[in-house]
């Protein structure tokens, strides 16, 4: 019975995590539409990628006992595909400095994961020590992933606007972390439980901030200089057109008067 409950919670955790990984689709559709990354940060997506890498490796039979953590493998494998897609889109539309920032963070993350994977496979010869090693690295990555929205939360407090903190991302983050915390407790797995003990209160805090500042609305976009110049030119053209029409009317009336005379 306990095993069935654990499996059910794992499936629900998978569903919630899938929605969490898919939530930024709305954000990146805006990036594609506006052809700009605006004030969005790439850091949460890169940290989430490192988290997915480590927990996919953690759930594979090389580290875990057979397929005891199969739900962990499936959802984090999908997470890798989602996060790579988001980072690629961000990189494409980012400025030159933004591209450098993405590369400077992503490359070290990938290199560190490869080092951790190689060490766990060859330096440790039993599942217990492999799980402890990769689990410790995953714990750090998970805490960093759940802590990364703190940067956005600071921005929300400063601007008093939730424009760059999407509601669905915060909501599904809370839901997923709560379910995976329950899964870790049922599995007696400290590695899966610990980071979600951090993620759950942070998710609650994000939702509280959203509720507080959502009435503020989206920051109004200021007109660009070229737009003001364009409006000014149009106004001048319209005034010149009106002057021409008045001159024509005046000439016509003068002509009519002369004809009558």
């Amino acid at each position: 019975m306990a095993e069935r409950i654990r499996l059910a919670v794992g499936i629900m955790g998978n569903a919630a995590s899938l929605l969490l990984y898919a939530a930024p689709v709305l954000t990146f559709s805006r990036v594609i539409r506006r052809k700009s990354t605006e004030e969005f940060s790439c850091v949460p997506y890169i940290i989430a990628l490192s988290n997915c890498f480590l927990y996919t490796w953690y759930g594979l039979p090389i580290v875990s006992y057979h397929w005891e953590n199969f739900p962990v493998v499936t959802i984090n494998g999908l997470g890798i595909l989602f996060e790579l897609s988001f980072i690629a889109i961000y990189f494409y539309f980012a400025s030159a400095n933004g591209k450098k920032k993405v590369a400077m963070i992503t490359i070290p993350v990938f290199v560190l994961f490869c080092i951790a994977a190689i060490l766990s496979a060859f330096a440790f010869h039993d599942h217990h020590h492999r799980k402890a090693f990769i689990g410790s690295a995953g714990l750090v990555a998970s805490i960093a992933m759940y802590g990364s929205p703190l940067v956005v939360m600071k921005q929300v407090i400063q601007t008093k606007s939730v424009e760059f903190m999407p509601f669905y991302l915060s909501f599904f983050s809370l839901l997923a972390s709560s379910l995976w915390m329950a899964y870790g407790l049922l599995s007696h797995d400290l590695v899966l439980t610990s980071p979600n003990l951090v993620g759950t209160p942070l998710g609650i805090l994000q939702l509280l901030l959203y509720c507080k500042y959502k009435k503020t609305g989206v920051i109004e976009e200021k007109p660009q200089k070229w737009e003001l110049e364009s409006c000014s030119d149009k106004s001048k053209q319209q005034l010149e057109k009106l002057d021409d029409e008045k001159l024509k009317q005046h000439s016509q009336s003068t002509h009519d008067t002369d004809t009558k005379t």
Side-chain angles (χ1 to χ4, degrees):
M1 184 64 182
E3 183 61 26
R4 289 182 180 179
I5 294 173
R6 188 180 77 92
L7 183 60
V9 173
I11 292 170
M12 288 189 289
N14 264 353
S17 295
L18 181 60
L19 293 170
L20 172 62
Y21 291 137
V25 167
L26 296 174
T27 298
F28 282 93
S29 64
R30 168 175 166 167
V31 169
I32 294 169
R33 187 173 64 254
R34 298 192 178 185
K35 297 181 179 180
S36 171
T37 56
E38 299 179 281
E39 297 298 321
F40 291 109
S41 174
C42 65
V43 175
Y45 306 104
I46 297 172
I47 294 175
L49 177 65
S50 69
N51 180 74
C52 291
F53 271 138
L54 287 166
Y55 275 100
T56 299
W57 186 249
Y58 179 85
L60 289 172
I62 298 171
V63 177
S64 294
Y65 296 100
H66 301 293
W67 290 103
E68 63 173 339
N69 287 313
F70 181 70
V72 177
V73 176
T74 53
I75 192 57
N76 284 286
L78 284 172
I80 290 172
L81 297 177
F82 275 110
E83 301 304 335
L84 283 174
S85 300
F86 296 145
I87 292 167
I89 294 169
Y90 189 98
F91 184 84
Y92 183 81
F93 289 106
S95 62
N97 288 332
K99 285 181 170 65
K100 288 180 183 178
K101 183 179 179 180
V102 173
M104 287 174 65
I105 301 174
T106 305
I107 293 172
V109 162
F110 184 72
V111 170
L112 287 171
F113 165 71
C114 290
I115 292 171
I118 291 168
L119 283 174
S120 65
F122 296 103
F124 302 101
H125 304 289
D126 60 89
H127 293 288
H128 175 73
H129 288 93
R130 288 173 182 172
K131 286 180 72 174
F133 177 69
I134 294 297
S136 299
L139 182 62
V140 173
S142 292
I143 292 173
M145 183 182 74
Y146 288 123
S148 59
L150 289 172
V151 178
V152 181
M153 289 160 68
K154 179 183 176 183
Q155 185 181 14
V156 168
I157 294 169
Q158 289 176 339
T159 62
K160 296 182 179 179
S161 170
V162 294
E163 183 181 11
F164 299 106
M165 190 178 75
F167 169 77
Y168 293 111
L169 196 60
S170 302
F171 175 74
F172 291 127
S173 176
L174 172 61
L175 185 61
S177 58
S178 300
L179 287 167
W180 283 114
M181 181 176 66
Y183 180 84
L185 289 170
L186 291 169
S187 303
H188 306 288
D189 193 326
L190 187 63
V191 171
L192 295 177
T193 306
S194 301
N196 293 293
L197 286 171
V198 176
T200 301
L202 282 175
I204 294 170
L205 183 57
Q206 286 181 64
L207 288 180
L208 290 174
L209 278 176
Y210 190 92
C211 293
K212 182 178 180 180
Y213 293 112
K214 69 175 180 178
K215 293 180 181 179
T216 308
V218 178
I219 300 171
E220 294 181 3
E221 293 184 2
K222 295 180 181 179
Q224 299 296 323
K225 183 179 178 182
W226 67 270
E227 291 176 334
L228 293 173
E229 290 175 352
S230 177
C231 291
S232 178
D233 292 340
K234 286 180 180 178
S235 298
K236 287 179 182 178
Q237 289 174 3
Q238 288 175 353
L239 287 172
E240 288 174 359
K241 190 175 180 180
L242 286 171
D243 289 340
D244 291 339
E245 288 178 355
K246 286 180 180 179
L247 284 171
K248 285 180 182 179
Q249 289 175 359
H250 179 70
S251 299
Q252 184 67 32
S253 62
T254 305
H255 177 72
D256 292 343
T257 303
D258 291 342
T259 304
K260 288 179 182 180
T261 304

